[in-house]
Amino acid sequence: MSVSAASHLSPSYPDRAAWGTAPKLRAWQQQAYDLYFSREPRDFLTVATPGAGKTTYALRIASELLSRGVVRALTIVTPTEHLKRQWADAAARVGIGIDPEFKNSQGATSRDYVGVAVTYAQIAMHPALHRARTEARKTLVIFDEIHHAGDAKSWGDGVREAFEPATRRLALTGTPFRSDDSPIPFVTYVEDGEGAMRSVSDYSYGYGPALADNVVRPVIFLAYSGEMKWRTRAGDEIAATLGTPLTKDQLSQAWRAALDPKGDWIRQVIHAADRRLTEVRRGVPDAGGLVIASDHESARAYARHIRTVTGEGAEVVLSDDPGASKKIKDFAGSDRRWLVAVRMVSEGVDIPRLCVGVYATSTSTPLFFAQAVGRFVRARKRGETASVFLPSVPVLMGLAGEMEAERDHVLGRRRDEDGLDDMLLEQAQQEKKQPDALGDELPFQTLEASATFDRVLFDGGEFGTAAAPGSPEEEDFIGLPGLLEPDQVASLLRKRQADQQAAKRKTKKGSEDSAPALAPHEQLAELRKELNGLVGAWNHRTGQPHGVIHAELRRACGGPAIAQATAEQVRERIAMIRKWATQRR
């Protein structure tokens, strides 16, 4: 093992370094490294956005501590079995021997190894064993995705017992927030002045700064709505349009119908995503796509759809497959187009060539969403962009619009604060083999499910108008070049938005010239309807009540309340809310 070897580890190991970064540490890695050794802390929490290069940074610190003799052994704790091997491969590159196959039943490992890689679940099963190993030699413990130590009480208790005697503890996470009040071991919390306790990181590097540094890719979200029809458990037939205001139950069922492999929605979205992948591969020849499914049954069905669309089979990765890790590794090193996986692949699996994703799961916790999108943001060269296709669902639209928001873990918050409790984290991380069972009642049955291109979300703005799959309007956005700088993406999106609106105005004027003129009251009714629809969409995006949005528009544009506003005043408000949707808010 040598510090020199560690200095030549690619910042994005085990794959290609990001543009302009190799062979030195990235600026954020060097800053965090310098801060660590200026303090010489026992505990240090580093929060860095997925894809930023936490592995390289941590191994550089480990190399230095081992070289100085501050520690003699290394224990790496990860959420999954696959990540144990990934860390061991990275450590081997810098001459640190890590045993990823260590079992609790062994008690000890070979002298060829400086340390072991284990999972949080493994620690919880036998904390006393790992405590004895930690006490036997001066040990550095690296916690990968430390928030998982709070997944279950036994996990947190086990981590505390096992590693309380550690000489040094380095905690890493890309998503430090959780949807519950389980405290994360060895993380500091302070009062936030509102009766809650907020986590404190020692160094933080968010998606926004990483994007500015060209460390991660910009993400284009392509949202799809559509017409859904289903039969409920009680036997009633219901129709609804995804992307319009719906009750909680209606939204849940419409979302479920959209993801149903038997419906056309998912087929049409996969087809669109594959067309996008073809465009991206013009500039990024080995670009790959990932479909994140909710359960095993759906994953296999989606793979069949991909074969029908592309003529090429997709790699399917399921957790109960003993060869899952090898499949992921083989796919990462190939140029195959598509990988389909159930939710477990959303975190920690590094396949930097993934550029296109389909979010085909109803899991909607901010933590899970951030981890899922994190699979697509690792940059390898300048100009690469990521594209994620998703259902036009308010909670997902909100999360997509908040990509750059940085959150802390908060204990004792109000349960409705910032939507972090929409689903228990354990449910979000659980991998299912079959869709949810519905007892002895009639099964949920999708009768119809068709997709409609809704809009594009990028850098806090919204672009595009509703269009049929395969239409020129949809193609305007699917056909965006795969190699663009973030400012070029925004500029091109604005231009295509403007072109579409101009074409619609021209078409509308032509139809108005050939059709009888609307009476003033009819014209005003149509304008109010259009404005109310836009206010509803803004409500989905921001969570602001409709009345508040109307009040803001009135303050911005002047004039009376909507009931007394003239046609021209309503048009001004329509133009203003459209402007909001295309600008950062």
Side-chain angles (χ1 to χ4, degrees), residues 54 88 90 98 124 132-133 268 288 307 311 402 409 411 418 440 483 537 564 569:
K54 292 187 289 294
I98 295 295
R133 296 190 73 258
Q268 292 167 330
R307 178 175 287 279
E402 296 171 358
H409 182 211
L411 304 180
D418 62 23
D440 297 326
L483 287 175
Q564 289 81 42
Q569 288 169 332

Side-chain angles (χ1 to χ4, degrees), residues 467-484:
S471 66
E473 291 83 5
E474 181 198 43
E475 201 61 38
D476 278 346
F477 295 101
I478 287 181
L480 289 170
L483 287 175
L484 287 174

Side-chain angles (χ1 to χ4, degrees), residues 148 171 188 247 317 359 447 467 504 543 572:
H148 281 290
T188 300
T247 67
V317 177
Y359 195 87
L447 302 177
K504 286 199 170 188
E572 288 179 8

Side-chain angles (χ1 to χ4, degrees), residues 214-233:
N214 294 305
V215 168
V216 294
R217 298 175 181 136
V219 183
I220 303 168
F221 292 97
L222 297 99
Y224 280 73
S225 57
E227 300 297 322
M228 309 296 154
K229 187 176 181 181
W230 64 91
R231 182 177 291 116
T232 68
R233 294 174 291 180

Side-chain angles (χ1 to χ4, degrees), residues 20-38:
T21 60
K24 296 181 179 179
L25 285 179
R26 294 169 176 161
W28 85 262
Q29 293 168 327
Q30 190 66 54
Q31 273 188 339
Y33 176 91
D34 293 343
L35 181 62
Y36 181 90
F37 283 104
S38 70

Side-chain angles (χ1 to χ4, degrees), residues 2 5-6 8-10 13-15 59 87-97:
S2 71
H8 293 288
L9 181 64
S10 155
Y13 182 81
D15 300 279
L59 289 175
W87 271 93
D89 288 344
R93 282 282 297 271
V94 296
I96 301 176

Side-chain angles (χ1 to χ4, degrees), residues 330-343:
D330 289 347
F331 182 84
S334 74
D335 64 355
R336 294 184 62 184
R337 290 177 74 89
W338 284 101
L339 173 70
V340 182
V342 186
R343 296 180 293 187

